[in-house]
Amino acid sequence: MSNSERIEKAYQAARQRYAELGVDTDRAIERLGKIAISLHCWQGDDVGGFESGEGLTGGGIMATGAYPGKARTADELRADVDKVMSLLPGKHRLNLHAIYAETRSKVERNELQPEHFTAWIDWAKANGIGMDFNGTFFSHPKAESGFTLSSADEGIRKFWVEHGMVCRKIGAAMGKELGTPCVTNLWIADGYKDIPADRKGPRERLRKSLDEIFAEPMDPSQLLDAVECKLFGIGSESYVVGSHEFYLGYAIENKTLLCLDTGHFHPTEVVSDKISSVLTFLDEILLHVSRGVRWDSDHVVILSDELRAIAQEIIRGDYLGRVHIGLDFFDASINRIAAWTIGTRCMIKALLIALLEPSDKLRQMEAEGDFTWRLAMLEELKTLPFGAVWDYYCMKSDVPVAESWLAEVRAYEKNVLSKRG
Ligand code: RNT
Ligand code: ZN
């Protein structure tokens, strides 16, 4: 039997098994094909960007590892993203940070313009994909004090407000050019290592700064604003200005999106439980799917219980139109193309598993109070042959099935990555 015959046969068996539970696998695949994941550009170069040779400095985030072959230029990074996307079923998006601008000479962050992203936009257009965007409020001399938008230094605060403003212009240009709204996210690392005497002042200043940044109304068909909350970071253990309550309040009051990063909460808290809570009050949210190991370590996303639970929540709640799924991890200790591919394929797999769930039946049994059935079924579902559906989906999408993508990454490593100094 040929490989494709074997995959086809396994799929037909799985299709039948799921049909017994009232699940239509063809329909699940069709729905899955329409979900775009926003791939974070910064997995390709350890959040370095192309501004200076220094790479990631400050902000309380860290890429560890020295695996060879990281992208050194925008062209290299685009080639890497192309490679990753060729290994993923479906059409996805690219999420760019402001430090990935392409400028002939040094352009300050408060002076960035859409034209500095022309090559990215043209590339996205040629590939028929959408883009998302982020201001970069770290890795900069004006962020060294640990305070940006909440700084008491008016010159510094203004500089970052201007950065936030130009980023919205850039995001809107991307959205306009590409015909799909650009989710433009704002995250700052502002906070204190040790116990502050004034928690109130920085938060009042942050609110003022955000009001200034978001003052100009923008067309939501081009730009969607998001704000990202966080519990703590390295160097801001005792106090983070942009905390959860702060940004939830801000987002509700100002109708922005809230960005929930799965690494930004206390380790016993889960984002899967927060989605339906915040969507009771917000129209849309952005996810930064990451994997914190003991802290916000941004490990490569794997098919964990929590990843599956997040996907279940999105599907069960019928939130696909309201949840923008972005990724946020960066591992420099393994092949970066593989890291991207593993994490993104896992996100897609989790969505597939969720789409293959007999959600209505589960809800019905729950409503009838049959919690025994609910638990029994939830456990039985875990060993249903979703792998056969996944393989079939990859085959039909003309992308590598199962682990065969790894051989392509190895070849790319040999032919491209290993030639980078
Ligand atoms: C940091 C935030 C933020 C960054 C990226 C690079 O804790 O999660 O989203 O990881 O912007
Ligand atoms: Zn994040």
Side-chain angles (χ1 to χ4, degrees), residues 155-271:
I156 290 194
R157 195 187 68 80
K158 273 260 136 57
F159 173 84
W160 291 112
V161 165
E162 285 165 15
H163 178 58
M165 290 164 84
V166 298
C167 284
R168 292 180 81 220
K169 294 236 157 66
I170 294 162
M174 288 175 173
K176 188 176 177 200
E177 287 292 318
L178 301 171
T180 161
C182 173
V183 181
T184 300
N185 183 46
L186 183 152
W187 171 73
I188 60 169
D190 296 26
Y192 282 120
K193 178 188 176 77
D194 224 327
I195 310 157
D198 180 11
R199 293 179 185 268
K200 178 177 153 195
R203 289 190 170 132
E204 287 178 346
R205 287 191 293 272
L206 176 55
R207 180 186 189 174
K208 182 172 162 217
S209 296
L210 294 172
D211 286 349
E212 290 169 13
I213 292 172
F214 297 132
E216 193 184 334
M218 297 281 210
D219 180 347
S221 73
Q222 298 175 1
L223 178 88
L224 296 170
D225 295 301
V227 288
E228 182 175 3
C229 51
K230 187 163 178 171
L231 174 64
F232 84 96
I234 292 185
S236 62
E237 288 85 353
S238 301
Y239 172 70
V240 164
V241 184
S243 63
H244 301 317
E245 292 75 11
F246 179 91
Y247 278 128
L248 179 59
Y250 194 87
I252 292 170
E253 187 183 71
N254 297 282
K255 304 208 175 312
T256 69
L257 279 67
L258 181 69
C259 172
L260 298 177
D261 182 306
T262 60
H264 284 194
F265 294 84
H266 187 280
T268 63
E269 282 183 74
V270 283
V271 162

Side-chain angles (χ1 to χ4, degrees), residues 42 47 61 97 187 228 230 261 264 288 296 328 330:
W42 52 95
V47 210
I61 55 175
H97 241 284
W187 171 73
E228 182 175 3
K230 187 163 178 171
D261 182 306
H264 284 194
H288 269 188
D296 181 30
D328 185 7
F330 30 100

